[in-house]
Structure formats: C-alpha cells, structure tokens
C-alpha cells in the first residue's frame, strides 16, 4: 500500500536507471571512452530516492513535527521556558539565555541568527551579557559569538577549548573557563548545571540543565518530531550516541532544547527517537545476517576488485534496512525520506566495525 503511494509521488527506480544509462551512453559517445561506470538497479529497490538522486516530491512534514511560526520580518522567535529562561530560534537552530539579578547568560550563538541574539535579550532585559556557554565546538552552533561583543566569561568543556585552539577561528573566541566532568554555574539566584557524559556527537559536547526550570539543553542528539540529521547527526561515536540517548531519557526534564528544528522536545520525543534507533539497529543487524558478500556479482570482478564486493554487499544490506523501516517510520518522523539511507549506511557500518 505504502509502495503504491510512493510510486505516485516519486520517479520509479526503473525510469531513473534508464535516464542515468542514457546520460552515460551519451557521455561515452562524446568522449569515445573505452569504459565507464553505468547504473543498474538492485532487486527490491526502495521507492525512496537513494543518496545522490533528487527526491521528486518530499513526504509531508507531520503536524507533530511543526512549531509556532517565525515572523519573517523579525527573523527569530522568543519562547519563555521558565523563570528567566528563554529559547531563541529561527525554527532551524535554537539557542538559550538566562536572566539573573546581575546580567544575562547566553548558551550558544548560532551564526544563522547571531545578529538577533542581542535584540532578543533586549526584549526582556537591559542587563549586560556576562557569560557565554558553548555546548560544543561546532561552528554552526557557536560561530555567532563575536556578534555578542566582548563577553567577560566564556565557559566550555576542556575538549571544546582544545578543538577551538586548533580551529583558530576568530568567530569562536576561546573559552576562559573550562571543566572536565561537572561545573555548576551559580549567578544570583539562578543556576545552570553543566556536565559531561563522554563522546557521542562530538568530544566535549555537554548537557546543560536548568534545574529550577526543568529544562535540559543537549545539542545535536534529539530532533523532536524529526529524523536526526544524516548519519546520526554526524555522531563521532555511534555506540556512544545510542548510549547517551538513554542518559538523556533518565534526566527528569520537562523541556528539552535540542538545538535544531521548530520546537522544544519532551520525554515522548526522546522515547520515539530511541524506538526508531532500536528498530534501525534490529533491521540492519537482520539484513547483515541475511546477506552474502559477492552473491550475484561477476566472478572476475569479485576476484579483482574487493571494493566492488563491499559496495555491492553494503548496498544490498542497506536496501533491506530501508525496506524494513519504511512502513513503520516514514510517516512518524519528518524527513524520513531525506535521511533514511544515510542512517542505514551509518548503522550497518557501525555494526560491522565498532
Ligand atoms: Zn554539532
Ligand atoms: Zn547541529
């Protein structure tokens, strides 16, 4: 039933293949080449366009994945999360700030809306920005730091400082205060508990918990209502990523700030993402067990070209993984169609080598 539905919204795989073949033939004629790679379809090819093929029609974004709209004239949206704590978002990136008696603590400065952070703070208070906390070293979450002017105290994990020293990026000034395990930031009557739970997304990526507001900020781990960005949001340690999801689940937060997408998250969002990851792990494990390297491959090619053997084997594993997950998950997580191939490729690789 679902396959039928995809057929109506996507180029059938066969049509794509013949288009690619036609293009390759043309190239051969033009270049007079002696040989060139050509495309052929696998059995049971999913209708969801694989990596490198344009998706003709994207699956609709489910209602539960959407958030309040952003006023385009303003360019950001401010959301109160609790006593003096606010989220700023452009519905793609998220950062936070906390107001205390003597000033303001900003957590992350995505360059996407860096020019609006001071405006957003000024909607609430005239107090100066005294502290900046970096969740992790990635430029897309903190390279708006310079736009905040001179901030007296910048706090981050020691590993983040090491990575930033290496990057030498003037838009990401070095932290002035670092820690390795835990750090309690007490300012006036407000507090933020910073803690490190090991490598998952990136070494140095920390949990930022506001206990009075029951708000947890962890970046690039949970994507409320959405498929994680490709390859588990580029997790540097995939077993670590899976394990850290459980640690996020165990924290008694009411609101989760994940750093991306249009809304904050809840425990239900964390549970849904864990259920998806578990189904993905099972599907890839099953596909690896059921697939034989080299099966159906030309014997001469198999003997000469080990990369071809792996390419063909891994493709067939991933195709089964995608087919297994599509009926359950294609309508539950926004952007399933965009990243499912990436997730299956990352999963099968992690299961083979980690
Ligand atoms: Zn990141
Ligand atoms: Zn990110």
């Amino acid at each position: 039933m679902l396959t039928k539905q995809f057929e109506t919204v996507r180029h059938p795989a066969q049509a794509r293949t013949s288009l690619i073949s036609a293009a390759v033939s043309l190239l051969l004629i033009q270049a007079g080449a002696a040989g060139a790679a050509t495309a052929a379809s696998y059995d049971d090819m999913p209708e969801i366009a694989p990596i490198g093929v344009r998706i003709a029609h994207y699956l609709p974004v489910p209602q539960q994945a959407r958030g309040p709209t952003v006023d385009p004239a303003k360019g950001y949206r401010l959301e109160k999360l609790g006593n003096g704590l606010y989220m700023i978002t452009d519905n793609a990136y998220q950062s936070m700030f906390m107001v205390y008696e003597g000033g303001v603590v900003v957590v992350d400065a995505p360059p996407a809306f860096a020019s609006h952070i001071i405006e957003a703070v000024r909607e609430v208070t005239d107090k100066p920005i005294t502290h900046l906390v970096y969740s992790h070293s990635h430029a897309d979450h903190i390279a708006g730091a310079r736009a905040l002017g001179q901030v007296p105290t910048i706090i981050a994990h020691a590993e983040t400082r090491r990575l930033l020293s290496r990057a030498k990026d003037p838009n990401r000034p070095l932290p002035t205060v670092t820690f390795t395990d835990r750090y309690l930031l007490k300012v006036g009557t407000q507090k933020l508990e910073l803690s490190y739970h090991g490598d998952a997304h990136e070494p140095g990526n920390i949990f930022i918990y506001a206990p009075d507001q029951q708000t947890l900020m962890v970046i690039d781990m949970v994507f409320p209502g959405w498929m994680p960005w490709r390859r588990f949001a580029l997790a540097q340690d995939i077993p670590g990523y899976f394990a850290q999801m459980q640690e996020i689940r165990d924290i008694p937060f009411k609101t989760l700030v994940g750093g991306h997408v249009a809304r904050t998250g809840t425990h239900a969002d964390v549970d849904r993402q864990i259920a998806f990851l578990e189904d993905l792990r099972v599907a890839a494990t099953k596909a690896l067990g059921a697939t034989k390297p080299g099966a159906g491959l030309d014997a001469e090619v198999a003997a000469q070209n080990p990369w071809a053997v792996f390419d063909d084997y891994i493709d067939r594993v991933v195709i089964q993984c995608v087919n297994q997950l599509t009926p359950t998950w294609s309508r539950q997580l926004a952007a399933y169609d965009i990243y499912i191939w990436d997730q299956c490729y990352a999963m099968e690789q992690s299961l083979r080598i980690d």
Side-chain angles (χ1 to χ4, degrees):
M1 213 174 83
L2 196 72
T3 309
K4 272 264 178 323
Q5 195 204 9
F6 279 129
E7 275 168 6
T8 62
V9 296
R10 285 164 194 293
H11 296 309
Q14 290 302 328
R16 277 199 304 270
T17 305
S18 53
L19 273 176
I20 294 165
S21 304
V24 170
S25 307
L26 193 67
L27 278 174
L28 283 173
I29 292 161
Q30 285 176 342
T38 57
S41 193
Y42 290 103
D43 293 341
D44 304 320
M45 191 65 188
E47 290 299 331
I48 294 172
I51 296 165
V53 174
R54 178 175 273 173
I55 295 176
H57 296 285
Y58 292 98
L59 287 175
V61 173
Q63 199 54 47
Q64 57 88 7
R66 297 177 194 199
T69 50
V70 169
D71 174 0
K74 202 170 156 188
Y76 68 95
R77 175 170 80 73
L78 192 61
E79 182 172 326
K80 190 167 186 180
L81 305 174
N83 178 30
L85 186 67
Y86 297 83
M87 176 177 76
I88 312 169
T89 183
D90 60 358
N91 279 2
Y93 279 89
Q94 301 171 343
S95 72
M96 255 180 12
F97 68 88
M98 177 181 253
V99 182
Y100 69 98
E101 289 80 351
V104 178
V105 180
V106 172
V107 186
D108 279 359
F113 56 76
S115 61
H116 297 305
I117 294 176
I118 290 174
E119 272 170 76
V121 169
R122 292 290 161 256
E123 281 190 42
V124 178
T125 179
D126 288 331
K127 290 174 179 149
I129 297 170
T130 55
H131 297 74
L132 173 61
V133 176
Y134 290 155
S135 63
H136 66 305
S137 79
H138 284 161
D140 63 323
H141 289 274
I142 66 167
R146 273 246 310 229
L148 303 181
Q150 191 70 38
V151 178
T153 306
I154 303 179
I155 306 167
H157 190 268
E159 189 61 18
T160 298
R161 188 186 155 96
R162 188 188 71 80
L163 292 165
L164 292 176
S165 304
R166 189 181 67 175
K168 296 185 175 62
D169 178 358
N171 293 315
R172 289 178 281 171
L174 291 182
T176 58
V177 175
T178 61
F179 68 97
T180 53
D181 186 25
R182 289 179 171 277
Y183 185 89
L184 177 64
L185 177 61
K186 256 188 89 118
V187 281
T189 53
Q190 294 276 40
K191 53 184 181 290
L192 281 180
E193 298 170 1
L194 314 183
S195 58
Y196 187 52
H197 299 256
D199 187 16
H201 172 63
E202 192 204 24
N205 192 27
I206 56 171
F207 289 23
I208 298 139
Y209 189 56
D212 297 338
Q213 294 82 0
Q214 289 178 274
T215 296
L216 175 67
M217 181 174 181
V218 186
I219 303 302
D220 290 335
M221 289 292 296
V222 179
F223 297 75
W226 289 74
M227 183 68 122
W229 176 264
R230 61 166 45 106
R231 296 183 171 248
F232 307 115
L234 307 179
Q236 290 191 19
D237 182 334
I238 290 174
Y241 178 83
F242 276 64
Q244 209 167 88
M245 291 299 302
Q246 305 293 338
E247 296 195 51
I248 292 171
R249 175 156 74 180
D250 290 345
I251 292 175
F253 66 82
K254 213 172 61 194
T255 306
L256 180 90
V257 175
H260 286 283
V261 310
R263 64 170 176 85
T264 58
T266 62
H267 269 279
D269 291 311
V270 177
D271 290 344
R272 181 168 35 214
Q273 188 168 305
I274 290 173
F276 167 71
L277 294 173
E278 183 54 21
D279 278 4
L280 174 58
R281 197 180 57 75
V282 169
T285 303
K286 210 175 112 191
L288 281 164
T291 309
K292 226 178 124 220
L297 202 65
D298 181 87
E300 201 179 326
V301 170
Q304 287 173 358
N305 189 342
W307 273 199
V309 174
F310 272 103
D311 178 57
D312 175 88
Y313 168 61
I314 291 166
D315 282 351
R316 285 182 291 119
V317 167
V318 167
I319 284 165
Q320 292 169 68
C321 173
V322 173
N323 283 335
Q324 178 73 33
L325 294 168
T326 297
T328 313
W329 290 101
S330 59
R331 284 184 223 136
Q332 282 201 56
L333 292 174
Y336 173 89
D337 49 343
I338 299 176
Y339 290 135
I340 188 56
W341 286 90
D342 283 293
Q343 314 300 14
C344 281
Y345 275 108
M347 186 79 261
E348 77 73 32
Q349 176 175 281
S350 175
L351 289 168
R352 276 188 302 107
I353 69 172
D354 280 332

